[in-house]
Amino acid sequence: MSLLEIRNLHVKAAGHEILKGIDLKVDAGEVHAIMGPNGSGKSTLAQVLARREIYEVTEGQVLFEGKDLLAMKPEEAACEGLFMAFQYPLEIPGIGNAYFMRSALNAVRKYRGIPEMNALEFVPLFREKLKLLEMDEKLSNRSVNEGFSGGEKKRNEILQMAVLEPRLSILDETDSGLDIDALRIVAKGVNAMRSPERAMILVTHYQRLLNYVIPDFVHVLVDGRIVRSGGPALALELEETGYATDEPDAMPA
Amino acid sequence: MITSPQQLTNYLEAFSDFEKSATGHNLPWLRKLRRDAFARFCETGFPTTHDEDWRFTNVSRLAQTPFQLVRTGHELSRSQVEPYRIAGAACQLVFMNGRFSSELSSMPNHANELEISGLADKIASNPKPLERYLGSYLDIGRDAFCALNTAFTEDGAYIHIARGVVINGPICLLYISTGTDTPIVSYPRNLVVAEEGSQVSIVEDYVSLGGGETFCNAVTELVVGENAVLSHYRIEREQKQACHISTLRIQQARSANVASHSVLLGGSLVRNNVHAVLAGEGSECLINGLFAGNGRQHLDNYMLVEHKSPHSNSRQFYNGILDGQAHGVFHGRIIVHKDAQKTDAKQTNRNLLLSDDAQMDTKPQLEIYADDVKCTHGATIGQIEQDALFYLRARGIDEISARRLLLLAFASECLDRMSNDSVRTHVATLTNAALYDAALPSSVSAQPGHEQAALRWNEVG
């Protein structure tokens, strides 16, 4: 059984069809990259998988460890082990970063029938993950993402991933807007999470991240469909040629 | 004018009864204070919604109810008062329907530095120090409720902090309304004089025992001396039939630093007036508040900050959370008088509406007569942010818990400004309990595109 299986997924938002039949299988241990031009539906796919409710699934099926993902609420999907790193992480004034992460971790643990962690037990775990992401401990008592730089917000997403240890992580353009140092740190965090039990989907606009996190598969998403799939070499090829040959109007009729 | 001749007659009878026997009736200055105030009330009657200051709050229900003045204390045991104690308090004065109860109170041990007593006891024993301050800063001409309170002034708290004295631990004033079959009114009157360089925190905590129609019309005058630091907390958590109108009048001397914190959680018709006058140069005032209503609660906050001297600084922050059919009001008025150059005044009112039937009226009003000042105001009315809710849920936190976290975070913006730890903890516990049910999503209709419909407006002037 695949960890994630997407079958013929069609999705509408505000009356427009954005995803027009996606098929994708992700097995444990694999890293998939989904690349494509702006507006191709990459972020929509990530958000639908994270169960954002503003999208309307008109056709198709998604199985997460054999369970119907599309019937789950966002919190259920998260507790089942699915994680999405947000393209634009939100600022949540008034909720401390460490408190938020402990609440999230305990929600997941409670769902799985594991005893919750008190603050004392959580602190060493949290420190270790902060260190991995080379983040200042001061950020742990600040409100979630409030006043964080762009790079700190993205690292904070990976920090959450490291704390929650999901089975499937979807990184929605986590590399966009990062300088090379931040990119290296994010990649380190991502690579530390790679394991035979886990899988990842890297949604990205640029090939650069894939120099640091080598994917097993690369898919090209154009106009709501996966038009090409291949190995890591495909990403390099796209870097050279761009998506032009994949654009619908460039394709033979 | 919504005050009928019959209603005035009722008040007139009550006043002539009261005046003859009230503590201090033989003191000419006090008699004059009461009489002038009553005459003023007779001239104006109760305000109506045609009155600009009362546009959003209809008090006709109050005007029409024949409230009885209760002047004898109700019997209560100390164990009944115990749950209302605030940990770490320097002392606690207990008032039953506006009357000071020495049996239920625990008094402080700082005899020379800090004088605390019931106001009626002070009038009876040594009224001289009162004459200078009582009613001298309150504007009874503009507010009928202040006039009524002054006419019926008899008991409340009298607090005098001597020069340079620092009181650790808050002074707690507990006002208990006990309902009866007949509607009752109380007029607590508090006077706090903080001398030069002193420092103190004062908590007014309004609670109910039992139901019934009660009306509490309270006035507190804070006279804050040069370089003194004073924090005042008002907690309104009476039962859902209680009417509560209170006025906090703050008079600040040079470099005085005052914080006023209001937390309105209970009551049916509540009006919270805060009137600060920054009379001395370099004085500073923080006016911070949180109000949370549901059902048919009406919570009105009327702020008036007057800058009268140069280099004074005021900050107003009020956050409102309204559920059910609750109606909130924030009226923030700032007057910068012509000599108050280099004034820095800021006002922010943020509101969350949790149901389709909740209502919020917010109105800034700036009057600036000086030419070198900085004044800003801004207001927002919105709903729980759907993006933030999704963010929390995407991390595994269920919807109700996520809503609760966001509401508490919104409230904590106000709580975090409260500098006294024991009071903040006390208020946080009350707020958590009050907001617990507000997180249940049933009150918001789930229509598609709901989050786009969220009303959000901003103005900065």
Side-chain angles (χ1 to χ4, degrees), chain B residues 239-254:
Chain B
Q239 43 96 1
K240 294 289 169 68
Q241 263 183 291
C243 295
H244 183 98
I245 292 184
S246 64
T247 296
L248 179 68
R249 175 66 177 85
I250 307 164
Q251 183 72 17
Q252 295 186 230
R254 191 181 195 282

Side-chain angles (χ1 to χ4, degrees), chain A residues 50-54 73-75 78-79 83-84 86 90 92-95 99-100 104 107 145 157 160 164, chain B residues 350 385-388 390-400 405-406 408-410 412-413 416 451-452:
Chain A
R51 305 303 307 120
R52 182 87 216 227
E53 284 153 341
I54 54 173
K73 294 177 183 171
E75 56 268 35
C79 290
F83 178 92
M84 178 184 73
F86 282 58
L90 270 93
I92 317 227
I95 302 182
Y99 179 78
F100 166 56
N145 294 328
E157 294 292 293
Q160 292 173 29
L164 295 174
Chain B
R350 308 214 307 132
E385 225 186 296
Q386 293 299 311
D387 289 339
F390 176 65
Y391 191 64
L392 299 186
R393 294 178 71 190
R395 296 295 174 255
I397 298 169
D398 70 84
E399 188 176 358
I400 291 172
L405 272 175
L406 291 172
L408 292 177
F410 184 73
S412 73
E413 289 178 10
D416 289 347
E451 66 193 275
Q452 282 90 346

Side-chain angles (χ1 to χ4, degrees), chain B residues 62 124 170 229 349 360 369 374 448:
Chain B
L62 273 180
V229 178
N349 169 227
M360 181 67 208
Y369 303 102
K374 206 160 84 184

Side-chain angles (χ1 to χ4, degrees), chain B residues 356 444-451 453:
Chain B
D356 294 343
V444 179
S445 62
Q447 41 184 286
H450 198 63
E451 66 193 275

Side-chain angles (χ1 to χ4, degrees), chain A residues 48 51 53 57 62 67-74 76-77:
Chain A
V48 168
R51 305 303 307 120
E53 284 153 341
V57 176
V62 181
K67 294 175 191 159
D68 181 5
L69 181 68
L70 300 179
M72 294 181 197
K73 294 177 183 171
E76 288 167 343

